[in-house]
Amino acid sequence: MLAGFARDLISASVRAEQNFLLPEFRLVCTNPPDQPKALELFRGVRTKDHAVSVASKVKAEYRKGYSDAEVLRLAREAISRTTYEVVGSDDVLVALQSQASWNLACFGVPVDHVPASLAQLEKALTPRATFLLSDVVRLLTGLPEGHPGRDDSPCRILPSRRELTLTPDLKTQFLHGSSQTLWCAVANDLDVQRNEAGVIAEKLKQLIATGGLLLLEGAGGSGKSTLARRVAWDAHLSGAFLVVHAPFPGDFDDSSWRALLHFVKLAGKPVLLVLDDVWRHQKFIAALDRRVCTNLCVLATARPGGSPVTEPERLFIHRFSMGELSNDIVAALRVLVSEDAQAGTEVPEGTIQRFLASGQILALSLTLQRGSLNGFAKSIIEPLTHKGASYDAFLDLCVAGAYDHSAPFSFFDRATPVDSRFWTDHSFEGLVYIQEGKTSRRLRVGHALVAGAVVSVANVDIVARMISFCERCDRADLQERRFVIRLLLSVAEDQTLRGQVRYNQRFVAAVERLLDSSSFADVHRLGYVLKLIGEQERAARVLMAASVDRIRDDVDVGIALSRSSVREEFIALFPVLFDYFGRQEKAQGRRRFLQRIQHFGTPDQQRQTVEQTGNWLIAQQFPSEETRALFYLATYASDASIAKQTVPLIPLFLKAREDTADDLRAAVRLTNRSDDIDVARILVPRVISFLESVDVWSASDFGLAQKMARLIHGSLIEELGTRSSILLIRMFDQANEWRRKRWLLQAAIGVSSVSSLEKVKEAVDSMIRQYPDRETSQLKAHFSRVLELANSTTV
């Protein structure tokens, strides 16, 4: 049946009528197929393998002259355009059970686990019970690793209200600024209503068609995390989105992304991914940029002024700034905190207005509870001061928390005696949290605003604590070392501490103590810390230690690539970077490396990189960004032999990937540079098919058509002239801009064959009527010469 669909698609694709739509297919079954291959097709698994089987069943007489590669591409297209439906049988219960089995398999439950999952669902189906998606998911067994239905996934389906029961302790923790209780608070309507919620919900709906990132920007304590969760929770309950939360964006790997994108494909509605502090997860941003798709919307929070390290190519970031608070917020907060407010608490009207103007809803809430931020902090620490060493260690964590940093668990666990481990003491419950990630375990204070107030009220000597952190840090432990260095940067940038750290030789010595074990990125950060505190000479000496042998991971590579802004620096770094990307299959930054090679690399370095990256692309099925970067590297290399070395990758690339205008344009440019007619013979039909399938052409599509036409010359005109010139005339008819119409017509004239001359003549006459100018007359003269040549050849 799928081969029949492929034949229909082949027939449709050769038709050249303007605005012709390619068909969609629906396969209706009376029973769910029970064979693994059929289930794989329905779930969208191993599509490439199945396409090979489907293409092999399309006989020669139905291929309309298409090559094997084109038929394979259209077979994949037919599979992607096919949806499936299971209709009922005479036995209603059997039919329902079959459909349920089918849907569970589509959702991700392995076939072997379907009966057990069905049995658990049947037990839960009691009269008048209501279910959210998360209630159902908890009854399923065998969900694969990375599936959003699993508790150990980097992104997780939101729980239901029955799993978010509000207790007095949780309410108190929320009122004290705990980020860990936000979902529970929002699910139980504990948050105050914000007018921005409706605006954000509308902006998210506008993102569905393209996918993308909506960023809520606001200072710490402005309520952006709570507001994001309110919008997401309402969308969750209404069914407008399937909502997943990403508590650990840094844990996303390729398998996690595959699971999420498969979930998006099968969801039947848009998916909303929610996460906090997005600029701390640059690797996540880079990965999202490569995977932007319809129905995947991301709602994230961030402090103002942040930006991605590398400018996204496909991901458009929509920003929404948190504004001022209204007087209605004050009234709502007074009701919310009434039970927890200290008796007789009076807050001056001027203080309230300052909080409203700055949007500091958490600070306002804490002040309404205890009269001031300092008053709130005192109420927290007074019961803890008798805890001795536990209290002192807690203040250490508050120093990190004041700058919104979490700490590696090992940093405290290793050096804190068992009887002083505050995170196990119930007295600190609600103030301290352990974050359990897939690759790390960290300690965190509830909120930076609370931690900062505690540090202030307790008169903590931050500089002395930082010196202690440097001395007790396990310098060989990557997480501990980078935690301390990032915290040093925050302290050095703190203007209120500038007098305490400038020319403080103990502080300088503590910074330099970290140098021996530091990686390339760490050395640069330590140098920057020393510059900030006025130690210019020491900073210069430290930066001299940033040798290439310190490049060890993706962070180091990113810093190295950003620093290598001149040819001499890059040429010195090249051997280490080349070796790193050769060893690290999943290394980040490969595209930036290729771009640096294009601009700064020698011809020998470019040749080596083309060979290495070509093998990597084949193994990775030609990821889009890196493929385009390599094609452009070879296209613009000073030595033309590099283009000839690279162009054999194009046929392999065409077999491995679905087409996009950007990818095809890069391939066309490379083929033009190499002047390889054999590759052009394969590439041009692919470009034509892609452009024929587009309903409304974009500027990118018009540019692709122009560059494609340059490939058609000599014997290719006889083979492809008719089809290409007819396509170009169709695009000419749709184009509105004079300049674009002119070069489309010029391209159509250049590639026209005898059988397409009549259509080209009609377009030339139309152009003369619309734009009777000198350049159009030249086009007409050009066409006349082509027509004369064609007539003489025919005679």
Side-chain angles (χ1 to χ4, degrees), residues 213 215 249 275-282 284-285 298 300-302:
L213 170 63
L215 192 64
L275 66 146
D276 287 317
D277 295 324
V278 70
W279 299 134
R280 293 190 175 188
H281 308 288
Q282 295 287 347
F284 173 88
I285 290 289
V298 180
T301 66

Side-chain angles (χ1 to χ4, degrees), residues 147-173:
H147 192 288
R150 287 176 53 136
D151 288 337
D152 59 354
S153 173
C155 63
R156 302 159 191 180
I157 295 169
L158 291 195
S160 65
R161 273 204 179 95
R162 69 186 69 181
E163 299 168 81
L164 294 173
T165 304
L166 185 67
T167 65
D169 285 344
L170 288 175
K171 179 180 179 180
T172 300
Q173 290 175 31

